[in-house]
Amino acid sequence: MEVQEIKQRFGIIGNSPLLNRAITIANQVAPTDISVLITGESGSGKEVFSHIIHQMSPRKHGPFIAVNCGAIPEGTIDSELFGHEKGAYTGARW
């Protein structure tokens, strides 16, 4: 799918070379089975790019779950994302 088609499909407005490059990279990694870390400032469109990657991937029929890691208290992100055993830390009840 071309960059302009992706922009239209996901409602992206703009035409800078860096934006177009980011869309191209998202399109390239989408069909692969690799982990992707998307970083950027608040409001820069990170979640839009994760939607692009998900919708262009073979997993598009599965659930998409967005996680705001900044809202998870420091030190508990591992247990929040991957689980924990009862008693692993103060307040770990299940």
Side-chain angles (χ1 to χ4, degrees), residues 49-79:
F49 279 89
S50 61
H51 278 283
I52 291 170
I53 293 168
H54 179 74
Q55 287 300 313
M56 306 294 283
S57 79
R59 299 176 187 182
K60 64 183 169 191
H61 299 295
F64 175 84
I65 301 169
V67 178
N68 179 358
C69 295
I72 299 173
E74 187 177 344
T76 63
I77 193 161
D78 290 345
S79 63

Side-chain angles (χ1 to χ4, degrees), residues 75-94:
T76 63
I77 193 161
D78 290 345
S79 63
E80 291 289 337
L81 295 177
F82 307 112
H84 57 269
E85 293 183 11
K86 183 178 179 179
Y89 60 89
T90 305
R93 289 178 254 140
W94 41 74

Side-chain angles (χ1 to χ4, degrees), residues 9-86:
R9 180 174 173 185
F10 293 95
I12 298 172
I13 300 170
N15 198 30
S16 77
L18 291 176
L19 174 62
N20 293 343
R21 176 77 176 127
I23 292 170
T24 300
I25 292 171
N27 193 32
Q28 289 173 341
V29 300
T32 66
D33 190 27
I34 62 171
S35 297
V36 178
L37 175 65
I38 302 171
T39 62
E41 295 181 21
S42 179
S44 62
K46 296 178 296 292
E47 193 168 334
V48 173
F49 279 89
S50 61
H51 278 283
I52 291 170
I53 293 168
H54 179 74
Q55 287 300 313
M56 306 294 283
S57 79
R59 299 176 187 182
K60 64 183 169 191
H61 299 295
F64 175 84
I65 301 169
V67 178
N68 179 358
C69 295
I72 299 173
E74 187 177 344
T76 63
I77 193 161
D78 290 345
S79 63
E80 291 289 337
L81 295 177
F82 307 112
H84 57 269
E85 293 183 11
K86 183 178 179 179

